[in-house]
Amino acid sequence: MMKKTFIYSLLFLFLAIAGCNNGKKADDTIRQSNPVFPKGEILTSEHFTGTVWFHMMGASDSTLHTRFGNVTFEPKARTNWHSHPGGQILLITRGKGYYQAKGHPAMILHKGDVVEVPPNAVHWHGAGPDGEFAHIAISLNTDEGGAVWSGPVTDEEYEGVNK
Ligand code: MN
């Protein structure tokens, strides 16, 4: 009887310790703040406002007709107005940002949101004013052509997002 109680006590102690190990660790916060995918290099492009980093993620000669990469925007950085002949998918991985289709109110985006951009829909995407914003951009049906670029999103258009 004593032996059985002792074994149960050991089992309880073991489970209690295992439970502690599954709890929050001191480095959890640090780990969560790390980006999931590399930030890449600063993008040198006339089609963006502000500093933007780009990390290409897939082979460009793919038979899947898809190009995808991780795009990181500094606060207020954004694409020009543009469209994609084959459409685009945005998977938000970090921060707060915006997506706006021409003639429509802007959508506020957070980590975990998904945007499906229809073919040829004129739009822009970029960061909110308070922090970095990142999304994976997947351009679809790229055999139909690359992005068609238009003019910058003016400060007036950008500030108008929250009005
Ligand atoms: Mn786009």
Side-chain angles (χ1 to χ4, degrees):
M1 188 63 187
M2 271 299 279
K3 196 175 176 188
K4 202 170 183 183
T5 307
F6 178 67
I7 289 168
Y8 277 129
S9 298
L10 272 184
L11 185 64
F12 176 79
L13 192 63
F14 172 77
L15 290 174
I17 290 168
C20 285
N21 285 343
N22 286 336
K24 250 191 168 6
K25 285 180 224 151
D27 61 350
D28 274 359
T29 310
I30 295 165
R31 197 175 299 148
Q32 285 171 5
S33 68
N34 286 339
V36 177
F37 296 102
K39 200 168 180 178
E41 306 296 326
I42 288 180
L43 189 63
T44 309
S45 169
E46 60 192 359
H47 304 306
F48 291 77
T49 297
T51 301
V52 175
W53 294 261
F54 182 69
H55 171 68
M56 180 61 83
M57 297 169 76
S60 57
D61 62 342
S62 170
T63 55
L64 299 174
H65 305 300
T66 301
R67 286 172 67 86
F68 52 102
N70 190 31
V71 192
T72 304
F73 300 82
E74 72 168 352
K76 293 191 179 183
R78 62 240 187 209
T79 68
N80 279 13
W81 289 100
H82 66 284
S83 61
H84 307 273
Q88 185 181 49
I89 293 171
L90 306 174
L91 309 176
I92 316 311
T93 57
R94 188 178 180 198
K96 175 189 165 186
Y98 305 119
Y99 168 82
Q100 185 172 26
K102 197 97 184 172
H104 297 272
M107 291 167 50
I108 298 174
L109 304 174
H110 297 98
K111 179 178 176 177
D113 286 339
V114 174
V115 181
E116 293 177 83
V117 185
N120 302 311
V122 175
H123 68 282
W124 66 271
H125 27 113
D130 302 322
E132 284 190 1
F133 170 72
H135 62 51
I136 294 169
I138 307 170
S139 294
L140 306 163
N141 308 301
T142 50
D143 49 322
E144 293 179 23
V148 178
W149 292 100
S150 184
V153 174
T154 64
D155 287 346
E156 194 177 30
E157 286 172 318
Y158 183 83
E159 303 298 338
V161 158
N162 284 318
K163 286 172 187 162

